[in-house]
Amino acid sequence: MCGISGILDWSQPLPQETLHNMIRRLSHRGPDSEGFFIESPIGFAHCRLSIIDLRENANQPMQDRSGNYHIVFNGTIYNFQVLRQDLETAGSRFRTKSDTEVLLEAYKKWGTNCLERLNGMFAFAIWDRPKRKLFLARDRLGEKPLFYFPLPEGGLVFASELKALLAHPASPRNLDLNAVSQFLSFGYVPGVTCIISGIKKLPPGHFLIAENGELHEPISYWDLKASFMTKRKFRSTDEASEEFRSLFRDTVQTRLISDVPLGAFLSGGIDSSSIVSAMTQIHPSPLPQTFSMGFEEKTYSELAMARKVAGLLEAEHRDQTLSSNLLPKLPEIAYFADEPFADTSFIPMFSLAKFCKQHVTVCLSGDGGDEILGGYETYIADKLCKRTNWLPNRAREGILNLIRSCWPVSFGKVSLDYKICKFLEGHSSNIDRAHASWRVLFSEDEKSALWVHPLEDQLAIKDPLEPFLKHAREVKECHYLDRAMYVDLKTWLPDDILAKVDRSTMAHGLEARAPFLDYRLVEFAASLPVSLKIRGLQKKYLLKQAYKKYLPAEVLHQKKRGFNAPVSHWIIGLIKPYYEDIIENGGPLFETVLCRKKIQSLYERHNRKIQDHGLQLYALIMLHLWNKQLGQSIT
């Protein structure tokens, strides 16, 4: 894991000081070494977290023997040893044992087609001096980030995080109101757009070429559509389970390659438990190190199950309880989130990463299991919505009003009252629209009330759900639950889940690896019939069948809890000062764009437990804190 940044400027000398300033803002991602390569028109900067081949000659930027090819790379190539053997057979010679050098030689041998051979998480840039070409690429699922903006005459500036781009004097500085609107809808900025107008994210599974004064559009090198459209047939569930378990074991094994201490996050849920189970089967000794984070609010904490699973699997387990002392660090969390980010699980994840880093440098995580195997409650909501699409809007609104007036607000962790209200709010005869709406924070009516002046006419995105519906249409022939999982893999996973994991772990110099996101396993899961992923109301059916001999029933069939933080409780007390700071010192954003009186009304209704507005208020707080930490110079 590392931080990368670079400047390609065809028109003027490279500002060396700017490159230094950019990489300093990424030093948390790579605390072990720092390096630069500057040769007009290109400049690279790199900060390294040493994982594979810890020697100095494996540092970056790295060049090949000829000095004609240079690379900066963030991530890990899990099949680098196999690729190295192929390249050595073809005549390549190596000076290091690193995956970075293998990646550079792979480009020299196969050009951009090298991407098809890579199994890993990555964002990298290669300067091809003979062709005067810059080649940038991002991994298939979007585990590693890459931001960029264009310069005149076909140049560009790129970096692992937005904050590094803002260190460049030519960086755009205007707030993107479409992105603000999308953030209020979902709690994150989806897609290739950025909170800053003019800055883009390279899409997952894409590469970008800049050569001879021309910046080309991103090109896709991988898509999951074909796997969803082509369904596998199995003679039995046992046959499918055996093939899944064999492939999953291999994805775990490839992610155990490390020259530094390695462990695993363990929540006690089926995803993390199956990973630790596979680890114990692959390497029974030494015992795997596992880590968990709990909450003082007992309804939110999963420590009891995590400890039980660790005991059953004989793991060397450590855990902590999230202290309220972390809450004064919310501004720091907003800074490391990089863009406005309102997923409450970032708080415990940030703390868990810091805790893990005291003992290991790499941790395996269960991310991706829900998206590829059907683990979210939203998929059950989809099934219920499909069966009740006859329900008239007037009846739905009547039931919703009745619940809100008669059912006590609990502030519990994804409480029954909250789930029923979200279901009724998003219920639609269009199942794809309903699925996209389950995670909406502010409805369009609520957003309209928030704007100081009506802004709808200024927004390019008239329907906030359209980016999600576009992906659903790409696989319109598929089962509606397959469409839902495809949409989540294209949106929720890279833009929320993986952004959270990357920023929270890299804030502490910790590498997170996700076995469920091995592209081979993702393609396999996409090709499965829906009935092997969700059967009746049972989620992750195939995973449970595959591990029924290895994990107890109480782990396999427990209710999904998630990693949400109890912000609805905290807003009334612990983080109330941040809300008050919005009202008193909100600055231009909360004077010219968002209405503070409406925010006050939300807080009063929440404080009186008339309605749970915890997630909405938390989103506004995180937007405010991001604006104070990174957006002071944004207009």
Side-chain angles (χ1 to χ4, degrees):
M1 284 301 178
C2 307
I4 65 174
S5 62
I7 302 171
L8 176 65
D9 196 333
W10 303 101
S11 61
Q12 59 185 350
L14 290 171
Q16 297 185 23
E17 184 178 352
T18 298
L19 264 178
H20 283 262
N21 291 338
M22 291 173 66
I23 205 63
R24 286 191 193 108
R25 294 194 178 191
L26 299 175
S27 59
H28 52 279
R29 300 182 70 93
D32 295 330
S33 70
E34 184 181 273
F36 300 88
F37 164 70
I38 300 174
E39 181 184 87
S40 187
I42 192 71
F44 284 163
H46 186 271
C47 54
R48 185 185 184 200
L49 176 65
S50 302
I51 302 291
I52 297 173
D53 192 346
L54 310 184
R55 296 173 300 171
E56 186 175 340
N57 68 341
N59 289 346
Q60 301 180 47
M62 182 182 288
Q63 65 179 20
D64 76 324
R65 289 176 177 272
S66 71
N68 284 326
Y69 301 90
H70 297 77
I71 185 172
V72 282
F73 162 49
N74 169 32
T76 302
I77 307 300
Y78 300 120
N79 64 333
F80 78 98
Q81 293 169 328
V82 174
L83 291 176
R84 178 178 176 133
Q85 291 175 358
D86 293 342
L87 289 164
E88 286 178 329
T89 300
S92 296
R93 292 183 297 161
F94 292 87
R95 294 172 293 177
T96 75
K97 296 180 180 179
S98 69
D99 53 344
T100 305
E101 190 177 14
V102 170
L103 178 53
L104 187 57
E105 291 295 321
Y107 169 76
K108 289 172 57 181
K109 177 67 177 176
W110 299 302
T112 58
N113 291 332
C114 71
L115 294 168
E116 300 170 5
R117 300 171 182 258
L118 303 180
N119 183 354
M121 54 178 179
F122 53 82
F124 65 80
I126 292 176
W127 174 244
D128 185 332
R129 179 193 284 162
K131 296 181 179 178
R132 291 178 63 79
K133 178 170 73 174
L134 179 64
F135 170 45
L136 297 98
R138 192 176 177 201
D139 64 68
R140 294 172 177 86
L141 278 305
E143 293 184 73
K144 293 293 101 188
L146 194 59
F147 292 78
Y148 71 98
F149 67 85
L151 289 175
E153 301 183 21
L156 81 159
V157 182
F158 68 88
S160 296
E161 296 182 12
L162 170 62
K163 62 177 66 69
L165 292 186
L166 293 176
H168 193 287
S171 174
R173 288 290 191 274
N174 294 325
L175 199 66
D176 188 328
L177 291 181
N178 283 286
V180 173
S181 177
Q182 291 291 86
F183 168 75
L184 292 175
S185 291
F186 305 108
Y188 60 93
V189 180
V192 300
T193 58
C194 176
I195 193 67
I196 307 300
S197 180
I199 295 179
K200 298 180 180 180
K201 305 163 192 167
L202 185 62
H206 282 68
F207 68 88
L208 184 67
I209 297 290
E211 57 184 338
N212 299 317
E214 184 178 1
L215 177 61
H216 300 280
E217 290 297 314
I219 298 173
S220 173
Y221 68 87
W222 182 81
D223 197 359
L224 201 50
K225 177 180 177 180
S227 297
F228 272 99
M229 300 290 289
T230 307
K231 291 299 181 183
R232 295 276 305 275
K233 293 183 179 179
F234 299 93
R235 288 172 295 181
S236 66
T237 299
D238 287 342
E239 181 187 31
S241 299
E242 181 60 35
E243 186 171 342
F244 170 83
R245 189 169 55 250
S246 175
L247 181 55
F248 181 67
R249 179 188 172 110
D250 186 63
T251 70
V252 172
Q253 186 165 10
T254 59
R255 282 155 180 79
L256 297 180
I257 299 172
S258 174
D259 293 331
V260 293
L262 178 146
F265 301 134
L266 179 62
S267 68
I270 185 172
D271 295 336
S272 60
S273 298
S274 61
I275 289 171
V276 177
S277 175
M279 291 172 70
T280 61
Q281 295 170 46
I282 295 165
H283 295 303
S285 179
L287 300 177
Q289 298 188 68
T290 58
F291 305 89
S292 304
M293 183 63 59
F295 297 95
E296 293 174 350
E297 293 80 1
K298 298 302 181 184
T299 60
Y300 282 76
S301 187
E302 300 178 288
L303 287 186
M305 183 59 75
R307 290 167 180 167
K308 188 165 190 175
V309 172
L312 289 169
L313 297 176
E314 299 183 331
E316 183 183 336
H317 185 69
R318 299 179 179 90
D319 58 47
Q320 274 190 347
T321 298
L322 184 66
S323 169
S324 58
N325 292 334
L326 180 71
L327 297 179
K329 296 186 178 180
L330 276 185
E332 180 185 11
I333 289 174
Y335 175 81
F336 283 112
D338 207 38
E339 282 191 283
F341 195 76
D343 187 331
T344 66
S345 62
F346 194 102
I347 299 174
M349 191 69 207
F350 185 83
S351 185
L352 176 60
K354 182 178 181 179
F355 173 51
C356 290
K357 180 61 177 180
Q358 299 172 17
H359 306 280
V360 297
T361 306
V362 178
C363 252
L364 272 58
S365 77
D367 298 294
D370 289 316
E371 288 82 2
I372 71 169
L373 294 170
Y376 286 125
E377 294 291 336
T378 52
Y379 303 135
I380 303 302
D382 292 338
K383 297 193 76 168
L384 295 176
C385 184
K386 188 73 171 178
R387 295 176 183 177
T388 59
N389 59 9
W390 50 266
L391 187 67
N393 286 341
R394 184 173 296 179
R396 174 183 58 80
E397 291 170 2
I399 297 171
L400 182 59
N401 291 333
L402 182 65
I403 290 174
R404 284 178 172 168
S405 61
C406 300
W407 198 314
V409 174
S410 65
F411 291 172
K413 182 176 184 178
V414 197
S415 59
L416 181 60
D417 58 304
Y418 178 83
K419 287 193 288 188
I420 293 176
C421 287
K422 290 302 293 183
F423 177 77
L424 293 171
E425 288 170 357
H427 190 283
S428 170
S429 58
N430 183 323
I431 189 63
D432 296 323
R433 176 170 287 275
H435 177 77
S437 72
W438 299 138
R439 294 191 177 98
V440 166
L441 295 181
F442 286 92
S443 69
E444 289 305 283
D445 288 341
E446 290 170 326
K447 281 198 301 184
S448 294
L450 268 182
W451 303 129
V452 171
H453 304 290
L455 294 176
E456 284 78 3
D457 292 342
Q458 301 179 36
L459 300 178
I461 303 175
K462 303 302 181 184
D463 181 357
L465 301 184
E466 175 53 30
F468 301 80
L469 300 177
K470 175 179 73 72
H471 290 304
R473 290 193 294 269
E474 292 170 2
V475 288
K476 61 183 178 181
E477 297 87 356
C478 290
H479 189 282
Y480 70 91
L481 289 175
D482 265 337
R483 295 200 303 269
M485 283 179 260
Y486 180 82
V487 168
D488 287 350
L489 282 162
K490 290 286 188 176
T491 57
W492 170 255
L493 178 71
D495 299 328
D496 184 293
I497 300 299
L498 297 181
K500 170 192 69 181
V501 174
D502 174 80
R503 307 309 190 277
S504 59
T505 55
M506 293 310 295
H508 303 291
L510 179 75
E511 175 172 301
R513 298 176 176 177
F516 283 103
L517 293 181
D518 188 300
Y519 79 94
R520 299 169 300 162
L521 192 68
V522 174
E523 290 176 345
F524 174 81
S527 71
L528 292 172
V530 166
S531 61
L532 283 177
K533 292 180 276 192
I534 303 172
R535 181 162 297 189
L537 298 181
Q538 185 176 177
K539 305 181 295 295
K540 294 184 185 171
Y541 177 75
L542 186 63
L543 180 59
K544 292 172 182 177
Q545 292 298 307
Y547 274 85
K548 63 184 179 182
K549 295 180 180 179
Y550 302 94
L551 295 171
E554 61 183 313
V555 173
L556 298 176
H557 300 291
Q558 65 181 298
K559 180 181 177 182
K560 182 173 177 60
R561 302 175 68 89
F563 208 21
N564 313 81
V567 295
S568 291
H569 293 284
W570 292 348
I571 282 172
I572 293 178
L574 293 172
I575 60 177
K576 181 180 178 182
Y578 296 117
Y579 152 74
E580 293 173 340
D581 192 46
I582 291 178
I583 303 305
E584 297 172 6
N585 306 298
L589 179 61
F590 290 88
E591 291 173 357
T592 61
V593 179
L594 299 174
C595 177
R596 284 186 283 191
K597 286 187 178 180
K598 178 59 180 177
I599 297 171
Q600 284 179 300
S601 175
L602 285 177
Y603 182 81
E604 289 168 4
R605 288 175 59 81
H606 181 83
N607 194 41
R608 292 162 57 192
K609 285 197 171 184
I610 296 174
Q611 192 171 343
D612 186 351
H613 291 297
L615 295 178
Q616 293 176 326
L617 289 165
Y618 179 72
L620 291 167
I621 287 171
M622 295 311 290
L623 178 61
H624 171 58
L625 290 176
W626 173 84
N627 194 43
K628 291 186 72 172
Q629 293 294 308
L630 283 169
Q632 303 97 326
S633 59
I634 305 304
T635 58

